[in-house]
């Protein structure tokens, strides 16, 4: 029986725990300090196919990740409140840019069937699907796009993992060496340790003599109370050009977000500046929104690299530590697949070069 430690209970760690808990021969213990998770503060949109990014490795990871997370949601019987293929609407202000977006959608649909139906929508058609929207918008609808409640998704996976025998410890831990996790009261030894702690990997790897070029990014979003309308629980997600994502989630609730702030680093205080920015963006989509409509706020810390690419794999020159980080704002899309690939590395020798650069691009031994 191989003893596996997972440090970090966000989307990557929770998925890894669930996947390993189903396999014979593994005893899984997950450690999570439960603060600052990017997963809990993410807007939760699974629709990478029309991204402006030119990084083909990232696109392959995100596109395949969208497919895997749909499989995972179906396999585990997740509710529509947790994962829903609601469709996404991506807008462009310039008609020629909208033409190019529609052409890109049809081009990529040829190799990605799960994108589903592609439609060009007028202002009236957007209004029919999203009655809250008062802005003059035109866009492209992708029926295979989805929304996900990261907090619910993780909770469901951890519950299933525990039912399969995994242990969950809620505390901050450190690495004493490459096989020893130091808790508040004792040291625990494992055969393999998976580091899935986002921007916290730098602190965790410091005792082993490694430096990681990964940076924290603060993300803030808001939830607003809005008028209900028929089928609002199944409304598509609006991804308006130059604005924050606009996500009705049913029962008169609307999520707006999220911000991308590099300076505050690990600060988890919700700010007035973010609130004003998010509300203003929401009001440009729906002129009937007021600041008094606020229901809740969320704050989390993402991890990003200098080239905005995720990385994962074995720690160089080490056979006991697997690490993943740098998922950035696409963590809910790429995280489950990253977890799956990490778990396969326990039995297969592969670098998954189609999805990422060499891991030594992002971490190295201190001199």
């Amino acid at each position: 029986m191989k003893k596996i430690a997972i440090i970090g209970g966000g989307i990557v760690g929770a998925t890894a725990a669930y996947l390993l808990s189903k396999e014979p021969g593994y005893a899984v213990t997950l450690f999570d300090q439960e603060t600052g998770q990017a997963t809990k503060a993410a807007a939760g949109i699974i629709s990478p196919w029309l991204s402006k990014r030119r990084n083909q490795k990232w696109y392959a990871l995100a596109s395949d990740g969208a497919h895997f997370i749909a499989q995972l949601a179906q396999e585990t019987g997740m509710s529509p409140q947790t994962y829903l293929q609601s469709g996404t609407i991506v807008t462009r202000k310039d008609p020629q840019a909208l033409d190019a977006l529609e052409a890109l959608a049809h081009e990529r649909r040829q190799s990605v069937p799960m994108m589903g139906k592609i439609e060009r929508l007028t202002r009236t058609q957007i209004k029919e699907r999203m009655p809250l929207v008062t802005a003059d918008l035109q866009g492209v609808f992708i029926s295979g796009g989805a929304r996900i409640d990261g907090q619910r998704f993780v909770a469901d996976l951890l519950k299933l993992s525990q039912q399969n025998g995994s242990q969950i410890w809620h505390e901050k831990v450190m690495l004493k060496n490459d096989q020893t996790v130091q808790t508040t009261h004792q040291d625990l030894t494992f055969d393999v340790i998976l580091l899935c702690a986002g921007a916290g990997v730098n602190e965790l790897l410091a005792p082993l003599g490694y430096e990681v070029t990964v940076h924290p990014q603060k993300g803030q979003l808001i939830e607003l109370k809005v008028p209900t309308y028929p089928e609002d629980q199944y409304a598509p997600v609006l991804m308006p050009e130059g604005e924050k994502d606009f996500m009705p989630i049913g029962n008169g609730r609307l999520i707006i977000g999220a911000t991308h702030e590099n300076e505050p680093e690990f600060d988890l205080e919700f700010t007035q500046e973010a609130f004003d920015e998010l509300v203003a963006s929401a009001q440009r989509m729906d002129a009937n929104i007021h600041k008094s409509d606020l229901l809740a706020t969320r704050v989390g810390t993402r991890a990003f690299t200098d080239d905005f690419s995720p990385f994962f794999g074995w720690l160089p020159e080490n056979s006991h530590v697997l690490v993943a980080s740098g998922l950035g704002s696409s963590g809910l899309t790429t995280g489950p697949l990253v977890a799956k690939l990490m778990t396969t590395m326990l039995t297969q020798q592969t670098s998954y070069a189609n999805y990422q650069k060499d891991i030594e691009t992002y971490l190295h031994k201190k001199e």
Side-chain angles (χ1 to χ4, degrees):
M1 182 72 71
K2 270 195 171 184
K3 295 173 65 178
I4 308 293
I6 300 173
I7 302 180
I11 192 73
V12 179
T15 305
Y18 166 70
L19 294 174
L20 290 175
S21 74
K22 299 191 300 173
E23 300 295 327
Y26 294 112
V28 178
T29 303
L30 182 142
F31 301 92
D32 181 34
Q33 64 178 347
E34 295 190 298
T35 59
Q37 273 186 18
T39 299
K40 293 180 180 179
I45 301 169
I46 311 296
S47 187
W49 307 290
L50 302 186
S51 171
K52 295 178 181 178
R53 292 199 198 190
R54 298 180 181 179
N55 184 332
Q56 293 303 305
K57 291 180 184 290
W58 173 87
Y59 176 74
L61 182 67
S63 183
D64 290 349
H67 186 262
F68 179 65
I69 202 168
Q71 290 181 323
L72 193 60
Q74 183 176 18
E75 173 189 319
T76 55
M78 294 194 178
S79 70
Q81 289 78 29
T82 302
Y83 174 88
L84 177 69
Q85 283 196 339
S86 58
T88 51
I89 300 172
V90 183
T91 74
R92 290 290 183 268
K93 299 171 184 175
D94 179 70
Q96 290 185 330
L98 192 59
D99 290 341
L101 188 72
E102 185 180 16
L104 176 63
H106 285 289
E107 176 188 336
R108 288 186 166 171
R109 169 67 177 75
Q110 295 177 23
S111 59
V112 188
M114 83 162 290
M115 285 177 65
K117 188 177 181 180
I118 297 168
E119 296 179 75
R120 183 159 174 164
L121 301 182
T122 65
R123 173 185 181 178
T124 301
Q125 290 169 321
I126 291 177
K127 177 73 173 177
E128 288 173 353
R129 300 185 190 209
M130 304 186 73
L132 297 176
V133 175
T134 60
D136 184 3
L137 302 173
Q138 295 186 65
V140 174
F141 173 74
I142 307 294
S143 69
R147 69 171 190 256
I148 176 176
D149 185 317
Q151 192 166 353
R152 284 176 176 265
F153 199 90
V154 163
D156 287 352
L157 290 179
L158 291 179
K159 182 179 180 180
L160 291 170
S161 179
Q162 284 183 296
Q163 290 174 355
N164 293 336
S166 298
Q167 296 185 48
I168 312 295
W169 292 43
H170 297 295
E171 65 173 292
K172 183 176 180 177
V173 297
M174 301 295 291
L175 292 185
K176 196 167 186 178
N177 56 52
D178 63 359
Q179 287 187 263
T180 306
V181 175
Q182 185 176 25
T183 73
T184 305
H185 302 293
Q186 60 185 311
D187 294 343
L188 300 173
T189 301
F190 297 90
D191 295 296
V192 178
I193 299 173
L194 277 63
L195 301 184
C196 309
V201 294
N202 226 325
E203 181 181 7
L204 284 165
L205 284 173
L208 304 188
Y210 285 87
E211 286 184 329
V212 191
T213 52
V214 65
H215 316 287
Q217 182 184 74
K218 185 175 182 178
Q220 305 184 65
L221 60 77
I222 56 176
E223 184 176 324
L224 301 172
K225 180 67 177 176
V226 293
T228 59
Y229 57 90
E231 301 297 310
D232 66 348
Q233 183 177 348
Y234 301 97
V237 175
L238 183 67
M239 305 172 70
E241 183 181 15
E243 300 290 350
K244 304 302 180 187
D245 295 321
F246 187 96
M247 184 190 304
I249 57 174
N251 300 314
R253 294 155 59 216
L254 172 71
I255 289 177
I256 305 295
T259 65
H260 295 74
E261 306 164 56
N262 298 338
E263 294 303 319
E265 296 190 341
F266 291 100
D267 171 30
L268 296 176
E269 291 294 322
F270 187 80
T271 65
Q272 183 66 42
E273 291 80 6
F275 177 66
D276 292 341
E277 177 187 352
L278 292 166
V279 169
S281 180
Q283 289 173 333
R284 287 190 285 272
M285 298 300 102
D286 177 1
N288 298 309
I289 283 174
H290 300 281
K291 290 185 177 182
S292 59
D293 295 327
L294 181 68
L295 285 176
T297 63
R298 303 185 203 171
V299 184
T301 304
R302 309 181 191 95
F304 72 99
T305 58
D306 290 342
D307 61 2
F308 301 100
S309 298
F311 64 89
F312 57 93
W314 290 104
L315 199 62
E317 304 174 17
N318 192 289
S319 60
H320 297 293
V321 178
L322 280 161
V323 59
S325 189
L327 276 64
S329 58
S330 62
L332 288 177
T333 303
T334 60
L337 181 57
V338 166
K340 178 186 178 183
L341 300 177
M342 289 178 75
T343 60
T344 63
M345 288 179 167
L346 293 171
T347 55
Q348 299 176 21
Q349 291 186 349
T350 180
S351 63
Y352 294 108
N354 56 317
Y355 291 135
Q356 63 171 343
K357 297 178 182 178
D358 191 296
I359 195 170
E360 294 188 35
T361 305
Y362 308 100
L363 51 81
H364 60 275
K365 273 277 194 181
K366 295 178 184 177
E367 297 181 357

